[in-house]
């Protein structure tokens, strides 16, 4: 038989799904499980968005839409980019509505990178980046973040990789605010990364899906807004996290020419268009949902503070102080267990589902990712059980 699986044979199925399935299996057996593995808010999508989508469905909007998305939504996205980042993206020439930010990541990496090219990924990282490079035939180049130093990019390692890697680094993937650590790269780090990209002629794929979920007064600086960067940055964004719309499968890629067309091609041949009624829901309801967004972010902040307070009381456990997204990245090395065993036993013995840090890259070894996108009542239960588990071990 011909070798039909060259690109996928080194890929592993997502371990997050494995945890979800294991947790479900235990629940089926009657066990009480606290879900702290999840990467989605537990809130319901804001009512104006739901109403607009229902209206679209009832009025027969059940057909294909334009490949790159309906004009109203592309205009809204361009408007958000303009007001948030000061960039002039043309709605019809630079913005593609995708089936989730996941598709935008896929389209960008597969559309733009290829064999012989390296894609720098600051790890630990959302595992799609690595695997999309395998799909593209490009080489994922992991560069560790300095987890012990507030999760800063390590410019020594970055310099080394551009000078020494046999696969010429041509891309840098940057996710800010950051999954899985909850870190937020401040303007200083962003400008330094921009200088680095300019110096080494890198195209940046900036995944800013969590841009509205941060807990300081200042909005995170987009790398695309740094002078000289707009023409070499693909912005990836979406609605899943900000508007609690994970199931709607809606996101976007925004890119200048000549980066736009390769992304458009992959989008066309992979999905044709994002679901029409999802787009109409977003287009009709996003602007009326800003109050809901504020409410959700405030609630996430309340939960973040609660979990921080609880973790601070656990002796020997340390964590990266989260400033964005909705995750804690917790160092569990003092337990003596590796993170896979720790997570497995925490689920089996205490019924708490978390993600082992090594799922996100080699630097994540010795960590677990805990999501606080669950209710305060569940978080309280989860923290009680995590504390008991830790006290048994240490
Ligand atoms: C960093 C990052 N990018 C992209 C996505 C994908 O989001 P979507 O649901 O819009 O595909 C996620 C989801 O967890 C994420 O954490």
């Amino acid at each position: 038989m011909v070798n039909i699986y060259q690109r996928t044979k080194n890929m592993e199925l997502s371990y997050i799904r494995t945890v979800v399935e294991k947790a479900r299996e235990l629940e089926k057996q009657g066990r009480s499980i606290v879900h702290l593995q999840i990467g989605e808010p537990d809130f319901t999508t804001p009512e104006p968005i739901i109403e607009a989508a229902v209206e679209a469905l009832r009025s027969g909007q059940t057909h294909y839409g334009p490949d790159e998305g309906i004009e109203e939504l592309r205009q809204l996205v361009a408007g958000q980019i303009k007001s948030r980042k000061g960039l002039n993206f043309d709605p019809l020439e630079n913005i593609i509505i995708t089936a989730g930010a996941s598709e935008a990541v896929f389209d960008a990496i597969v559309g733009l990178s290829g064999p012989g090219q390296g894609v720098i990924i600051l790890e630990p990282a959302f595992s799609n980046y690595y695997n999309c490079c395998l799909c593209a035939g490009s080489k994922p180049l992991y560069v560790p973040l300095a987890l012990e130093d507030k999760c800063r990019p390590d410019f020594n390692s970055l310099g080394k990789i551009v000078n020494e890697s046999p696969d010429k680094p041509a891309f840098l993937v940057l996710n800010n605010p950051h999954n899985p650590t909850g870190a937020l790269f401040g303007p200083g780090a962003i400008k330094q990364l921009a200088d680095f990209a300019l110096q080494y002629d890198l195209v940046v794929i900036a995944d800013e899906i969590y841009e509205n979920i941060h807990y300081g007064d200042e909005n995170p600086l987009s790398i695309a807004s740094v002078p000289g960067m707009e023409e070499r940055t693909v912005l990836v964004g979406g609605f899943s996290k900000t508007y609690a719309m994970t199931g709607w499968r809606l996101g976007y890629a925004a890119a200048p020419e000549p980066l736009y067309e390769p992304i458009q091609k992959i989008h066309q041949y992979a999905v044709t268009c994002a679901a029409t009624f999802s787009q109409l829901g977003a287009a009709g309801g996003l602007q009326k949902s800003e109050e809901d967004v504020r409410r959700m972010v405030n609630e996430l902040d309340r939960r973040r503070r609660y979990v921080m307070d609880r973790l601070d009381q656990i002796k020997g456990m340390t964590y990266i102080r989260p400033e964005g997204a909705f995750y804690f990245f917790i160092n569990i090395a003092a337990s003596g267990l590796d993170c896979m065993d720790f997570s497995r036993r925490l689920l089996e013995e205490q019924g708490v589902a978390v993600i082992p840090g090594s799922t996100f890259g080699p630097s994540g070894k010795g960590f677990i990712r805990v999501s606080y996108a669950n209710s305060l009542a569940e978080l309280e239960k989860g923290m009680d059980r995590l504390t008991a588990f830790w006290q048994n071990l240490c």
Side-chain angles (χ1 to χ4, degrees):
M1 177 108 167
V2 284
N3 194 356
I4 51 172
Y5 52 90
Q6 275 295 2
R7 297 248 162 117
T8 48
K9 72 179 169 196
N10 294 328
M11 243 181 239
E12 283 177 22
L13 284 171
S14 161
Y15 193 75
I16 297 186
R17 295 290 138 208
T18 311
V19 174
V20 172
E21 273 155 33
K22 177 83 188 157
R24 278 209 193 113
E25 198 183 298
L26 290 171
E27 267 170 336
K28 266 198 204 147
Q29 294 164 13
R31 294 277 308 277
S32 142
I33 302 295
V34 181
H35 294 274
L36 305 184
Q37 83 282 13
I38 37 179
E40 62 175 339
D42 62 326
F43 312 115
T44 309
T45 304
E47 199 53 36
I49 300 173
I50 294 178
E51 270 173 24
V54 169
E55 200 182 309
L57 281 167
R58 293 223 183 279
S59 63
Q61 300 276 8
T62 53
H63 303 275
Y64 291 127
D67 285 5
E68 291 76 28
I70 60 168
E71 195 169 330
E72 302 92 298
L73 188 55
R74 294 167 87 190
Q75 270 166 355
L76 265 177
V77 169
Q80 284 183 349
I81 292 174
K82 171 82 186 156
S83 65
R84 185 77 181 236
K85 312 181 211 286
L87 303 172
N88 289 309
F89 279 103
D90 184 292
L92 302 186
E93 310 225 331
N94 302 117
I95 287 163
I96 301 177
I97 305 298
T98 55
S102 307
E103 191 222 316
V105 166
F106 181 86
D107 295 349
I109 295 180
V110 174
L112 297 170
S113 74
Q117 289 182 317
V119 179
I120 299 174
I121 300 168
L122 304 174
E123 63 90 19
F126 181 52
S127 40
N128 291 36
Y129 309 141
Y130 186 94
N131 289 292
C132 287
C133 292
L134 301 188
C135 290
S138 53
K139 177 86 178 171
L141 301 171
Y142 267 160
V143 175
L145 286 160
L147 294 182
E148 69 296 339
D149 183 17
K150 293 192 172 168
C151 204
R152 286 183 216 281
D154 171 358
F155 286 91
N156 284 337
S157 306
L158 282 166
K160 221 166 150 193
I161 207 122
V162 282
N163 290 315
E164 292 175 12
S165 170
D167 300 276
K168 189 177 163 6
F171 299 89
L172 167 71
V173 181
L174 176 62
N175 170 217
N176 192 34
H178 188 246
N179 174 15
T181 63
L184 196 149
F185 304 119
I190 295 294
K191 284 180 191 150
Q192 240 182 319
L193 284 166
D195 285 346
F196 174 77
L198 287 164
Q199 183 182 353
Y200 292 103
D201 194 22
L202 305 175
V203 164
V204 175
I205 297 168
D207 181 348
E208 299 182 350
I209 182 143
Y210 295 101
E211 68 179 326
N212 295 301
I213 305 177
H214 62 90
Y215 308 102
D217 296 332
E218 297 281 308
N219 283 335
L221 173 68
S222 172
I223 195 163
S225 308
V226 179
M229 290 304 296
E230 181 177 351
E231 53 270 37
R232 58 172 68 242
T233 304
V234 176
L235 284 172
V236 169
F239 313 98
S240 297
K241 317 287 179 178
T242 304
Y243 298 93
M245 290 178 72
T246 47
W248 297 64
R249 307 314 301 127
L250 221 48
Y252 63 83
E257 272 306 344
L259 303 175
Y260 179 82
E261 196 177 303
I263 297 172
Q264 181 186 26
K265 286 177 183 162
I266 303 296
H267 170 73
Q268 284 193 344
Y269 294 122
V271 303
T272 308
C273 63
T276 303
F277 51 89
S278 289
Q279 294 188 59
L280 286 163
L286 286 188
Q287 283 172 311
K288 297 178 202 147
S289 304
E290 292 315 313
E291 192 45 50
D292 289 285
V293 172
R294 267 191 293 280
R295 178 183 50 78
M296 292 190 279
V297 175
N298 284 341
E299 175 59 19
L300 286 170
D301 192 20
R302 205 160 74 97
R303 297 171 187 183
R304 177 183 74 116
R305 287 168 193 276
Y306 172 76
V307 175
M308 252 183 327
D309 197 42
R310 292 294 306 264
L311 293 177
D312 287 343
Q313 293 170 37
I314 305 179
K315 246 177 86 187
M317 201 183 247
T318 56
Y319 61 91
I320 294 165
R321 191 185 158 88
E323 296 178 281
F326 36 67
Y327 307 107
F328 277 84
F329 211 51
I330 301 174
N331 189 331
I332 50 88
S335 70
L337 292 180
D338 78 28
C339 60
M340 295 299 271
D341 280 341
F342 188 98
S343 308
R344 185 183 47 76
R345 283 186 52 186
L346 182 62
L347 179 58
E348 283 170 1
E349 294 171 25
Q350 292 284 348
V352 180
V354 300
I355 307 295
S358 56
T359 308
F360 304 99
S363 302
K365 255 175 100 177
F367 287 80
I368 54 168
R369 189 192 76 175
V370 164
S371 161
Y372 52 96
N374 206 338
S375 70
L376 215 44
E378 286 300 293
L379 287 170
E380 190 176 342
K381 221 189 297 171
M383 286 303 119
D384 288 348
R385 294 181 188 185
L386 178 63
T387 307
F389 183 68
W390 185 264
Q391 281 167 352
N392 254 344
L393 288 174
C394 303

